[in-house]
Amino acid sequence: MKHANWSFFSFSQTHPGKVRAYNEDACLALQKEGVWVVADGMGGHEGGDIASRILVDTVEQTVVRLGKEYINPDRLREALLDANERIFQYGQHDLSESTIGTTAIVLLIENGNFHCLWVGDSRFYLYRDQVLIQKSKDHSQVMEMVEQGLIGARDAEDHPMANVITRAVGVDRYLMIDQLSGSILPNDQFLLCSDGLSKELTLQDMNACFQAQSVNDVGLALMHSALVRGASDNVTCVVVKASQQQAIAAQTRHQYLDATVPVFTHQRAIRGSE
């Protein structure tokens, strides 16, 4: 993706992990349009994987229909609301009033700015000046407990309620979506991931992966590290790097290697809920 003095390179991959029988995660990379998505479904067999797929398909359909000139945060918000209604209706009518849903992290890059919209506990990180910082805030029970002073931040990851989220796309007709926007600086990198990655790796672990030269190397290091740790959940990550024109030639050489990266698709089999 090119815009003015910028080019953007990305890596995206999803994997069922080492324990789960099939993959409820989904991801989307529309590099030309500057839109990337990670979704982590919940609802078990014929629930979570369909919810996450409905979400990424709805965003993709919206972006393709409108074209990159007309994509903005408001249009993406409308796409998430549309996906929310579609998933809700699917659970009600096709799955006998079952409750299914999915988290969502959506990144839009336009006019030298980034916009992130999210629901749930999939995360958005910014890597800038050699430091990785979590920019999104989990919509989870433990995060509410941290904010209320009931537990410390260090206790949140290992808390028995760590997997309980307070917002998800598709569980209710009403959906609250958070948004964060900011300016892009040279060599900024963005990470979107499901909690299958963030539960396995500490912030320091992930930061170390960003020492790699290319976007592909960063993404593969993150995926490999999570799998080596056991990957008890589905693992999905998207890495996006902003480069200035003088860095394009070198980065393009790295991108040539991206074509050899295997694609991990959904694997369907009966398994428990998230």
Side-chain angles (χ1 to χ4, degrees), residues 114 124-128 131-135 183 188-191 210:
F114 69 86
F124 173 64
Y125 296 83
L126 170 63
Y127 182 73
R128 176 179 288 174
V131 178
L132 185 69
I133 300 174
Q134 181 181 340
K135 303 297 287 185
S183 299
D188 276 353
Q189 294 190 66
F190 305 96
L191 169 64
F210 277 85

Side-chain angles (χ1 to χ4, degrees), residues 55-76:
L55 186 136
V56 297
D57 286 350
T58 302
V59 173
E60 182 173 21
Q61 291 164 10
T62 299
V63 173
V64 171
R65 174 173 53 84
L66 294 176
K68 62 181 180 180
E69 294 83 1
Y70 297 98
I71 292 297
N72 57 45
D74 290 338
R75 301 290 82 78
L76 290 175

Side-chain angles (χ1 to χ4, degrees), residues 150-161:
L150 299 176
I151 61 173
R154 293 184 177 180
D155 301 322
E157 294 291 341
D158 297 323
H159 195 276
M161 300 183 70

Side-chain angles (χ1 to χ4, degrees), residues 38-262:
V38 165
D40 180 356
M42 52 182 241
H45 181 58
E46 293 187 349
D49 60 335
I50 292 176
S52 63
R53 179 50 52 187
I54 290 174
L55 186 136
V56 297
D57 286 350
T58 302
V59 173
E60 182 173 21
Q61 291 164 10
T62 299
V63 173
V64 171
R65 174 173 53 84
L66 294 176
K68 62 181 180 180
E69 294 83 1
Y70 297 98
I71 292 297
N72 57 45
D74 290 338
R75 301 290 82 78
L76 290 175
R77 182 178 294 272
E78 291 171 3
L80 291 178
L81 293 173
D82 186 17
N84 185 73
E85 182 64 21
R86 291 187 186 186
I87 296 167
F88 181 80
Q89 291 294 341
Y90 185 86
Q92 292 295 303
H93 298 294
D94 294 78
L95 295 179
S96 303
E97 299 185 354
S98 297
T99 298
I100 64 173
T102 180
T103 68
I105 283 279
V106 181
L107 172 65
L108 168 66
I109 292 179
E110 60 161 5
N111 301 321
N113 297 304
F114 69 86
H115 309 278
C116 179
L117 295 86
W118 78 94
V119 179
D121 63 352
S122 292
R123 291 181 177 178
F124 173 64
Y125 296 83
L126 170 63
Y127 182 73
R128 176 179 288 174
D129 296 330
Q130 307 296 310
V131 178
L132 185 69
I133 300 174
Q134 181 181 340
K135 303 297 287 185
S136 62
K137 183 179 74 172
D138 295 352
H139 299 140
S140 66
Q141 189 69 54
V142 293
M143 181 53 64
E144 290 187 356
M145 295 170 69
V146 169
E147 292 179 341
Q148 294 169 10
L150 299 176
I151 61 173
R154 293 184 177 180
D155 301 322
E157 294 291 341
D158 297 323
H159 195 276
M161 300 183 70
N163 291 331
V164 179
I165 59 176
T166 55
R167 293 190 212 174
V169 182
V171 300
D172 198 303
R173 278 208 159 101
Y174 175 75
L175 180 66
M176 183 180 297
I177 303 167
D178 281 0
Q179 179 180 333
L180 173 71
S181 300
S183 299
I184 299 172
L185 296 181
N187 298 316
D188 276 353
Q189 294 190 66
F190 305 96
L191 169 64
L192 291 70
C193 68
S194 63
D195 68 345
L197 184 78
S198 59
K199 285 189 302 187
E200 298 293 349
L201 304 179
T202 67
L203 187 64
Q204 291 74 23
D205 294 332
M206 291 188 282
N207 194 92
C209 293
F210 277 85
Q211 305 305 310
Q213 277 192 311
S214 72
V215 171
N216 261 353
D217 290 341
V218 172
L220 289 172
L222 289 165
M223 295 294 292
H224 176 74
S225 297
L227 292 170
V228 167
R229 295 288 177 88
S232 60
D233 199 353
N234 309 145
V235 183
T236 302
C237 83
V238 170
V239 182
V240 182
K241 182 175 182 178
S243 295
Q244 290 184 305
Q245 290 297 324
Q246 59 264 33
I248 290 176
Q251 185 66 39
T252 301
R253 288 195 294 273
H254 289 302
Q255 288 304 109
Y256 178 77
L257 299 176
D258 290 355
T260 65
V261 176

